[in-house]
Amino acid sequence: MESSSVSVHRTVTSRPSAWRALRGYNVIWATALAIGGYALGHWLGSKIGANSVAQTSTDQDDVAILMGLGFATLGWIAGLGFLSYPLGRITGRPSTLREREEHGPWRYFSLCTDHKVVAIQYLVAVLFFFFVAGLNAMFIRGELTSDNATFIQAGNYLTLVGLHGTMMLMMMSAGVLGPLGNYLVPIMIGSRRMAFPRVESLTMWLTVLAGFVLLSAILLGGFPTGWTGYAPLADQARAGIDAYIVSFMLIGISLALVGVNMIATIITMRAPGMTWSRLPIFVWGMLTTSILAVLAAPVLAAALIMVIFDRAVETSFFVAATGGSPFLWDELFWFFGHPEVYILALPGFGIVLEILPVFARKPLWGYRLAVAGMFGVALLSFMVWQHHLFVSGINANLRPFYMFSTELISIPTGVIFLNGMGTLWRARIRFTVPMLFSLAFFFNFLIGGLSGVFLSDVSSDVTTHGSYFVMAHFHYTIMGGLVFALMGGIYYWLPKVTGFKLNEKLGKVHFWTMFVFFNLTFFPLFAAGMLGMPRRVSSYNADLHTLNVFVSIAAFCLGASMLIFLGNLVWSVVFKRERAEANPWQSLSLEWQLPSPVPVHNFDRIPTINSDPYGYGFPDAPAVADFGPRVLAGEAGAT
Ligand code: HEM
Ligand SMILES: [Cu+2]
């Protein structure tokens, strides 16, 4: 299972001096080379594109900007040192893991092959961009306190909505896979690392770059398409859309690689005795999400390359005037876009089903059904994408099929719901912060799911499509579902990751404010949608003014609840630093049998797995794993 190059007793080399660290590959070099790369690419592009029709017929340099962003990406990757390993192998140097970097603070600013460091980098990056996108949401709600455009012009409003939505979706696509998946999957399956540690680091650094590239759209004049990049808007848009295209492409590539890495790890790196039927449900969630990512994300990347060609070299995939079709974009985009919705939902299921048994002190009810439910969702998610096109002029005879297939998805999701309810049935529940978030997940996701039925039904979709009803629906699933689950996961696993307790009282204040104001923000928006309030415009019927002011106030309070979360993180991890026990929740799962924080090599010896980690309530259940003669912490596997 494990390559012998990862030795059991690592020698701790002395920390590199700050000067040595500065000279090595790191984010400072990456930034410098990215800026240099942009300048070089832009210069080359303006030479190449100087005589092209695309260039001479408009006032902007798409070739130059796209080449600039391309070269910036290369510079970023080179500056972080991702090229030195493959180049080294080509010139015959032996393969190594870069253990030198696994010490000292600099490892957080460079290519590091420790999966736990990459996970923490991911968490910080995702949270940072999540807050940026959240700030955009506050501006949107600020503008919507008036029924006419006030402090944001109509064009800028579109850019703001696009930045908010695209950033949220880009970051949340690997928002669980990246931080929690990379951290927990190797530990949960009894491995010392991910299958491809360098690829793992690459995916994280591509995500960071993508976030900044998307923000550069502001400097390039914004983009008018929202997160869906529809043709022909995207073809006609000004240069800001180039930033959208490149950043979303980086995310597509990164997401596909995360998926490949995750699948390879779960299939090939499991410890002895970790049979498929003992795999923690969270790992199943990561596996099914990864399958979706591998199949869907390349379609997005490919479709975006086609847009690049349309804009830069005069092809006409999506340009009707020269023989292309804007509908082709709709099809390709939603062939990615609908599975993307489940890339956002499945990790949430994985988290809450993992947390529920621990605080219900009962085995996970219907483990096999839950796995089947996850695969059912994954499979069906590729058969429904045209429900986004019901009113776009698709062949009317196709509608019943897509309506039916969409409604079928409620069966596997319903199964997963039953798993949750069955686990809670007659349980003596401990209402800890992670448990509260998990319970809220079911409440919110239920509202999201039920409102989805109205959108999958063609006749009601005709009125609700493009309105705030859709807006409320998908915020209930993504924010009420995924983000609540992610918060639960953070409160649950952060003591393991950092070794420090999170303040429970502040956690509860965070939970209740977030839960109450989330619902006060988004529930009224179903009504706003029914009353005809359209998406993506800043002016609306004056009748809806009071409703919108109410929603905006709730949204500001929701934003403030995020500051409580941030405050808790900083207070608990930076200032208070109260040591967490190795297993504060008395969980049976493998990760909690290790010390907090987990040592670099995870396990002194690769454990042998004896059972699944859900044997709660059976006092004579066998230990979950055998850690060999040297037990790391606590009593391995005991309740
Ligand atoms: C404080 C929390 C949030 C608030 C107040 C909020 C508010 C909004 C509003 C008002 C819009 C629509 C603007 C319009 O169409 O005129 C919007 C769009 C959107 N939001 Fe949020 N949002 C929040 C959190 C999130 C989260 C957590 C996600 C996903 C992880 C998300 C994803 C999206 C997406 C994808 C769009 C669609 C953008 C588009 O139409 O292209 N939002 N949000
Ligand atoms: Cu869909």
Side-chain angles (χ1 to χ4, degrees):
M1 295 272 140
E2 273 295 313
S3 77
S4 55
S5 70
V6 186
S7 66
V8 171
H9 303 287
R10 274 163 206 249
T11 43
V12 179
T13 50
S14 60
R15 289 185 177 188
S17 68
W19 170 237
R20 261 196 65 197
L22 260 181
R23 275 187 325 177
Y25 297 112
N26 57 44
V27 69
I28 301 173
W29 281 108
T31 311
L33 289 189
I35 293 171
Y38 184 86
L40 178 65
H42 194 280
W43 178 77
L44 272 177
S46 59
K47 295 272 169 226
I48 294 170
N51 301 316
S52 76
V53 191
Q55 211 81 321
T56 45
S57 62
T58 58
D59 60 342
Q60 59 186 39
D61 296 358
D62 284 307
V63 180
I65 291 167
L66 286 165
M67 279 189 67
L69 291 174
F71 276 60
T73 306
L74 273 182
W76 177 258
I77 294 175
L80 282 159
F82 283 104
L83 300 185
S84 62
Y85 177 79
L87 291 180
R89 289 309 296 278
I90 289 171
T91 54
R93 263 185 277 146
S95 82
T96 51
L97 273 188
R98 305 173 59 134
E99 301 192 10
R100 180 179 67 80
E101 289 164 341
E102 288 171 4
H103 310 282
W106 276 101
R107 67 192 156 154
Y108 291 102
F109 299 96
S110 53
L111 189 182
C112 184
T113 49
D114 179 348
H115 69 98
K116 298 178 291 296
V117 172
V118 177
I120 293 170
Q121 292 171 325
Y122 245 121
L123 184 67
V124 173
V126 165
L127 285 182
F128 172 77
F129 288 113
F130 178 79
F131 273 91
V132 172
L135 196 65
N136 286 338
M138 297 299 106
F139 285 127
I140 298 176
R141 283 311 328 172
E143 174 57 49
L144 291 176
T145 51
S146 153
D147 52 21
N148 270 308
T150 50
F151 68 101
I152 299 170
Q153 298 159 357
N156 292 345
Y157 181 80
L158 261 180
T159 295
L160 197 59
V161 171
L163 278 178
H164 162 73
T166 315
M167 185 68 91
M168 282 292 188
L169 289 195
M170 281 184 9
M171 290 304 144
M172 283 302 139
S173 298
V176 175
L177 278 171
L180 296 181
N182 279 324
Y183 195 96
L184 294 167
V185 166
I187 301 179
M188 282 181 161
I189 64 173
S191 162
R192 290 205 173 99
R193 58 178 176 88
M194 295 286 289
F196 306 117
R198 273 183 202 78
V199 171
E200 185 189 5
S201 178
L202 177 66
T203 60
M204 139 57 213
W205 286 109
L206 285 182
T207 306
V208 173
L209 180 65
F212 286 114
V213 171
L214 182 65
L215 287 179
S216 75
I218 301 173
L219 303 175
L220 295 171
F223 61 100
T225 62
W227 83 282
T228 49
Y230 275 3
L233 271 180
D235 282 312
Q236 297 156 359
R238 297 191 50 92
I241 195 90
D242 295 331
Y244 161 93
I245 295 169
V246 173
S247 61
F248 224 177
M249 218 167 95
L250 291 174
I251 289 291
I253 294 167
S254 167
L255 193 59
L257 291 176
V258 174
V260 169
N261 199 5
M262 220 30 103
I263 294 173
T265 306
I266 297 171
I267 291 181
T268 64
M269 314 268 291
R270 281 168 296 133
M274 180 52 88
T275 57
W276 290 111
S277 59
R278 289 173 183 165
L279 209 59
I281 198 72
F282 175 77
V283 179
W284 280 113
M286 293 296 99
L287 183 64
T288 44
T289 309
S290 299
I291 294 172
L292 290 186
V294 168
L295 294 176
V299 178
L300 171 72
L304 287 167
I305 291 177
M306 292 158 80
V307 189
I308 290 184
F309 284 169
D310 271 8
R311 286 178 66 80
V313 293
E314 297 290 290
T315 58
S316 53
F317 291 108
F318 308 119
V319 187
T322 38
S325 167
F327 284 118
L328 180 61
W329 171 262
D330 294 17
E331 302 283 347
L332 291 174
F333 181 82
W334 285 112
F335 188 79
F336 150 80
H338 192 85
E340 162 76 2
V341 175
Y342 287 96
I343 290 174
L344 301 169
L346 282 168
F349 290 137
I351 294 175
V352 296
L353 290 186
E354 193 66 44
I355 291 178
L356 244 43
V358 178
F359 298 108
R361 305 314 283 174
K362 281 180 61 194
L364 175 62
W365 187 80
Y367 170 90
R368 278 155 208 262
L369 264 181
V371 175
M374 286 178 174
F375 274 97
V377 169
L379 186 72
L380 281 175
S381 73
F382 280 103
M383 301 181 187
V384 300
W385 79 95
Q386 295 224 356
H387 59 210
H388 295 277
L389 311 177
F390 280 155
V391 294
S392 306
I394 61 167
N395 184 337
N397 293 329
L398 284 175
R399 286 164 159 186
F401 172 80
Y402 285 99
M403 176 166 133
F404 182 65
S405 60
T406 304
E407 285 169 4
L408 269 187
I409 291 203
S410 50
I411 295 175
T413 43
V415 164
I416 295 171
F417 240 82
L418 282 182
N419 295 124
M421 296 309 115
T423 307
L424 294 177
W425 180 252
R426 296 199 167 166
R428 263 184 294 144
I429 299 171
R430 283 189 288 167
F431 291 99
T432 57
V433 180
M435 188 62 168
L436 289 173
F437 275 105
S438 303
L439 295 174
F441 169 92
F442 285 101
F443 179 86
N444 296 337
F445 204 83
L446 187 63
I447 297 180
L450 290 178
S451 56
V453 177
F454 295 87
L455 298 169
S456 61
D457 187 282
V458 176
S459 40
S460 55
D461 185 55
V462 170
T463 38
T464 45
H465 187 92
S467 78
Y468 261 67
F469 189 90
V470 180
M471 249 279 303
H473 156 73
F474 71 72
H475 280 90
Y476 261 97
T477 55
I478 313 179
M479 187 169 190
L482 180 75
V483 176
F484 272 72
L486 178 62
M487 288 294 170
I490 290 177
Y491 277 98
Y492 182 68
W493 279 297
L494 216 61
K496 177 57 63 187
V497 173
T498 60
F500 300 117
K501 273 185 193 161
L502 286 180
N503 186 301
E504 178 90 4
K505 267 216 187 80
L506 272 178
K508 286 204 167 141
V509 177
H510 167 213
F511 168 76
W512 283 110
T513 45
M514 183 168 160
F515 179 69
V516 169
F517 290 114
F518 167 77
N519 279 286
L520 288 182
T521 302
F522 289 105
F523 203 81
L525 291 180
F526 285 119
M530 288 291 197
L531 295 169
M533 180 164 165
R535 285 171 72 179
R536 296 184 182 169
V537 277
S538 59
S539 40
Y540 52 84
N541 195 318
D543 295 349
L544 297 171
H545 183 239
T546 318
L547 185 67
N548 271 287
V549 171
F550 176 86
V551 167
S552 288
I553 293 172
F556 298 144
C557 297
L558 178 59
S561 79
M562 292 295 156
L563 297 180
I564 303 178
F565 167 64
L566 196 63
N568 194 355
L569 279 191
V570 174
W571 165 249
S572 304
V573 176
V574 182
F575 294 107
K576 190 87 189 302
R577 296 174 83 82
E578 195 182 332
R579 287 259 154 229
E581 302 150 48
N583 191 358
W585 317 115
Q586 292 88 41
S587 164
L588 288 178
S589 190
L590 216 50
E591 74 275 20
W592 293 106
Q593 317 311 322
L594 301 181
S596 308
V598 180
V600 175
H601 52 280
N602 296 354
F603 303 97
D604 280 357
R605 299 170 60 124
I606 295 297
T608 312
I609 313 299
N610 294 326
S611 78
D612 71 43
Y614 304 114
Y616 297 102
F618 301 106
D620 49 352
V624 169
D626 178 1
F627 289 89
R630 293 183 55 215
V631 173
L632 281 172
E635 299 153 73
T639 25

